[in-house]
Each structure stands twice: as structure tokens, then as C-alpha cells.
Amino acid sequence: KRQGRRTAGPGRRCAMLPLGGLPMAPPSPAMVSRLQFVKWLVVATYVCAAGRFVSDDPFGALNDMFGGIFGTFMLREDPVLQRCYSCLLESPLGLMSEGGMTCFWPYMFMSGLNGAFSAIRAYTILAKFGTPVPCSGILGCYLPVWLCISAAAQLVAVLFCWTVQRQQQDVGGAERRYGDAFQQGRQGGRDGREGREAAECGSEGRLLATPDSEAGSDRWRTVAPMP
């Protein structure tokens, strides 16, 4: 028979990825020192967004603005960006995520795309005119300069974030290796303790209880220890 379409009832939930991105552990002090450089690159991205807007590139300015917003949410506890983060959190954008390291991967993705597209566009203009300032007299003539600064800021930010991610992988791998070694040590200590107890019982001439394979595993028989 043809079955009907199953729908999610009140007791069934649909599995979805978190809107804030993949979870990431809190950064270590070494990672925080790297993220301090990212903070100023986020500020530079905001400046480039304003420069591209006045240079008659509103869509590019909007892309840089979103990249800066992701960086602000990621670095919500930074004193320089904390006031900006509070304003964004009270806006409709605050419904998407509360920020923190959950925005780490979205920021890397957004900055990587923006940096690559800005670099390609700046290279196209430089190859066509041979100069970063092809004209003078209007603000749009300085668009290649803003493109170069935007591409450099966001690509360098991606590089710093990648080093932070590698540091976290190293820390997580070391913790897993320590946990495995700890479990192996506990298991080895338990096996050694049981072996010593069995040896002591045999040396004292006490009877040892072993499972009777002939009668079944639920019955036991006692055998004298070997001399």
C-alpha cells in the first residue's frame, strides 16, 4: 500500500545545524593572543566597507560589512568591539546568534570569500589601467585602493584564524592522548593488582575458585593451588 507522507509531530524534532556555526572550545591564552590581531583586522574591514560605499561600490561594502559583523560577534568579549557587539545584539541580527567562538567558522568562510573576490577585482583593475588610482577628482577613483586593503585585511585574518584552529587541534589531540594513556594506566594497574592477589593466594596455599566448564558457567568448583 502507498504510505502517506510522514510529518514531524509534536514529539519529533528535526535535526538542524546551529545557525551560529559549528561548536568550538574556548580559546587558550595562546589563541587569544592571535585573536588580538584579528580584532584590528575586523576594524580595518569596517573602514574598508565605508570606503567602498563612498567609492560607489555599495554591494562590496555590504559584503565587507557582513564580514565585520561576523568578526564582531566572534570577538564579543574584546573591549574594543564590545560596545559594537552590544548594539548589534539588540538589533534583529541578535536573533541569529549570541556570538562567541561559534561564529569562528562563519567568520573564516565569509572573510575568505570576501578577500578572494576583492583581490580578483583589484587585480582586474590593476591589469587594465596599470595603476591603483586610474583617475582623479572623484571618490570612485580610489576604489582599487580600498579593494586591496580589504583583500589584505580579510585574507590575513583568515590566516590568523587558521593558526588558531591548528593550535586547538593540537591541544585537543594532546588531551585525547593523555586521556587514552590515563585509561590504559588504570587498566594496567587493575590487571596487575588482580595478578598479585592471585599470586598471593597461591603462595599461601588457599583454595582458588574457578568456573566448572563441565557443569556449566553458573557452578563453581574449588581446586588446590599448584605447588
Side-chain angles (χ1 to χ4, degrees):
K1 294 182 180 180
R2 189 176 180 180
Q3 296 180 354
R5 197 172 186 179
R6 297 180 64 183
T7 57
R12 186 181 295 115
R13 295 183 180 180
C14 298
M16 298 179 64
L17 288 176
L19 196 59
L22 297 175
M24 190 172 180
S28 63
M31 301 175 192
V32 172
S33 63
R34 293 296 183 97
L35 293 175
Q36 291 295 323
F37 294 98
V38 179
K39 167 185 63 178
W40 299 113
L41 296 173
V42 171
V43 175
T45 303
Y46 280 122
V47 175
C48 291
R52 294 178 70 170
F53 183 79
V54 299
S55 299
D56 199 17
D57 185 19
F59 292 105
L62 186 62
N63 291 334
D64 286 353
M65 182 66 66
F66 278 118
I69 289 173
F70 276 116
T72 303
F73 272 87
M74 181 183 69
L75 303 174
R76 61 181 181 180
E77 298 179 359
D78 188 86
V80 176
L81 300 174
Q82 194 170 14
R83 181 173 298 180
C84 181
Y85 165 75
S86 300
C87 296
L88 292 173
L89 189 63
E90 295 177 358
S91 68
L93 295 175
L95 298 176
M96 299 179 60
S97 174
E98 294 183 358
M101 295 306 293
T102 55
C103 298
F104 182 83
W105 291 108
Y107 173 70
M108 281 190 64
F109 180 76
M110 191 72 182
S111 296
L113 286 181
N114 289 342
F117 289 147
S118 297
I120 293 173
R121 190 175 177 186
Y123 174 78
T124 303
I125 297 176
L126 291 175
K128 182 178 181 180
F129 297 100
T131 176
V133 185
C135 59
S136 60
I138 58 176
L139 295 175
C141 297
Y142 300 96
L143 178 60
V145 178
W146 293 116
L147 289 173
C148 291
I149 298 175
S150 174
Q154 296 187 77
L155 291 179
V156 172
V158 171
L159 180 62
F160 276 108
C161 290
W162 178 254
T163 58
V164 170
Q165 191 266 341
R166 293 297 300 271
Q167 288 180 352
Q168 189 177 56
Q169 282 185 344
D170 295 339
V171 172
E175 291 179 352
R176 286 192 297 270
R177 290 192 297 269
Y178 175 78
D180 294 341
F182 180 74
Q183 292 295 333
Q184 292 177 1
R186 291 186 59 186
Q187 184 65 29
R190 187 181 300 111
D191 295 341
R193 185 171 60 254
E194 292 175 355
R196 289 194 301 270
E197 291 176 355
E200 291 175 358
C201 291
S203 62
E204 295 175 359
R206 288 183 291 176
L207 295 179
L208 301 177
T210 61
D212 190 351
S213 58
E214 297 178 357
S217 59
D218 57 341
R219 296 182 61 184
W220 294 75
R221 61 188 177 91
T222 57
V223 297
M226 296 181 62

